[in-house]
């Protein structure tokens, strides 16, 4: 009989779940960015039905967004391990992190100096998008 070690199995599964959650967040963020590019004067929350998402897309984290004066905040709850993985995968952007005390903190750079509005809760993952 073949013995299969179980040590580390849960940790590996947990890491995969964090990665899936972060990928899901980034897909949603990209859809918000695309909508902004096509609708540069838009302000408010972009409904999921207006976003160019696959019909099979499942919003795993309850992601939300708000656009004000050409800046969008995409936010939700992602485990910190997933955030770090996402930042590393995306070539270390400064505009992706966690809201702490009204500012955006990167898991790599620390305080980015980017203000995050009150509608985003402390501890939530935030992607800041500027429409230029």
């Amino acid at each position: 009989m073949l013995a299969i070690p179980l040590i580390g199995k849960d940790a590996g599964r947990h890491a995969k779940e964090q990665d899936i959650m972060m990928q899901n967040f980034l897909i949603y963020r990209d859809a918000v960015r695309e909508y902004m590019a096509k609708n540069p004067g838009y302000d408010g929350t972009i409904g999921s039905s207006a976003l160019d998402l696959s019909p099979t897309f499942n919003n795993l984290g309850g992601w939300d967004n708000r656009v004000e004066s050409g800046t969008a905040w995409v936010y939700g709850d992602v485990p910190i391990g997933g955030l770090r993985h996402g930042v590393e995968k995306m070539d270390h952007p400064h505009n992706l992190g966690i809201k702490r005390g009204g500012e955006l903190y990167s898991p790599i750079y620390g305080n980015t100096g980017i203000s995050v509005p009150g509608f985003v809760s402390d501890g939530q993952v935030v992607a800041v998008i500027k429409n230029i």
Side-chain angles (χ1 to χ4, degrees):
M1 173 155 49
L2 179 63
I4 301 172
L6 296 178
I7 297 173
K9 182 178 177 185
D10 286 343
R13 184 180 69 229
H14 185 65
K16 287 178 185 174
E17 288 171 354
Q18 289 180 356
D19 183 44
I20 289 168
M21 193 78 134
M22 192 66 209
Q23 290 298 322
N24 189 260
F25 177 82
L26 296 174
I27 290 168
Y28 183 86
R29 183 220 44 190
D30 287 349
V32 170
R33 185 174 50 203
E34 289 172 13
Y35 184 92
M36 285 181 65
K38 294 175 183 172
N39 302 278
Y42 183 83
D43 277 346
T45 299
I46 306 166
S48 293
S49 62
L51 296 174
D52 187 17
L53 293 166
S54 164
T56 60
F57 178 80
N58 185 7
N59 187 333
L60 297 177
W63 318 130
D64 209 347
N65 71 80
R66 188 172 307 176
V67 182
E68 292 179 357
S69 303
T71 300
W73 292 271
V74 177
Y75 53 96
D77 297 314
V78 173
I80 188 69
L83 172 62
R84 183 163 186 91
H85 179 75
V87 167
E88 289 171 352
K89 216 175 204 181
M90 296 172 51
D91 198 24
H92 306 92
H94 286 82
N95 64 339
L96 178 63
I98 294 175
K99 179 184 177 183
R100 288 191 188 140
E103 296 197 331
L104 183 69
Y105 279 78
S106 163
I108 295 175
Y109 305 110
N111 188 342
T112 63
I114 298 172
S115 293
V116 180
F119 54 80
V120 178
S121 299
D122 251 24
Q124 287 190 307
V125 168
V126 185
V128 182
I129 306 165
K130 295 222 179 243
N131 201 1
I132 20 179

